Amino acid sequence: MPIGAEYTPPSPYDWVPPGGGVRWARVGELGWHALSLPCYLGNRVLAGLGEASGAVIEEDVPERLVWLIEPKAPAVQHLGDHEEITVAGDDGSYLFVPGMARARLVWWRIPPSPDRLLTDADQLVEAIAVLRPGVRP
């Protein structure tokens, strides 16, 4: 490794592109679905979840946080019509999966690890409901 270069440990997941790359992946193809929130709300939900949060992708355009959740989680099925919440699953939607060394446009706010990948959908919805009382857990 060149002097001054920042070390990025390899990902334990073959679906994460190397280095600072990015992969356009169909949601569901990789074994999880996704729930996203605008950053102004997502940052507060992330703080509320604390260590209970799994991996989180942050996007600059639009400014959103994306949680990886178990497929077809019952806790999120009623959230599809909520204006601030996007739930993506087996509906043909895509998202960018960033490499571990990526630091702009789309990157890992909380990198995936063997003990921190999916966020429990029930806990995620409860954290959202604290901030948005109209969202029921």
Side-chain angles (χ1 to χ4, degrees), residues 12-67:
Y13 302 105
D14 60 359
W15 49 268
V16 173
V22 68
R23 173 183 177 189
W24 190 233
R26 175 172 269 180
V27 177
E29 135 191 20
L30 300 172
W32 37 259
H33 286 178
L35 182 143
S36 64
L37 297 168
C39 281
Y40 69 86
L41 177 58
N43 286 327
R44 293 168 52 202
V45 168
L46 185 57
L49 283 169
E51 292 297 314
S53 181
V56 177
I57 296 170
E58 185 164 348
E59 300 175 350
D60 279 346
V61 180
E63 292 182 341
R64 300 189 69 77
L65 294 183
V66 181
W67 281 266

Side-chain angles (χ1 to χ4, degrees), residues 78-92:
H78 68 286
L79 299 177
D81 294 331
H82 196 282
E83 65 186 40
E84 295 174 303
I85 302 169
T86 302
V87 178
D90 297 325
D91 56 1

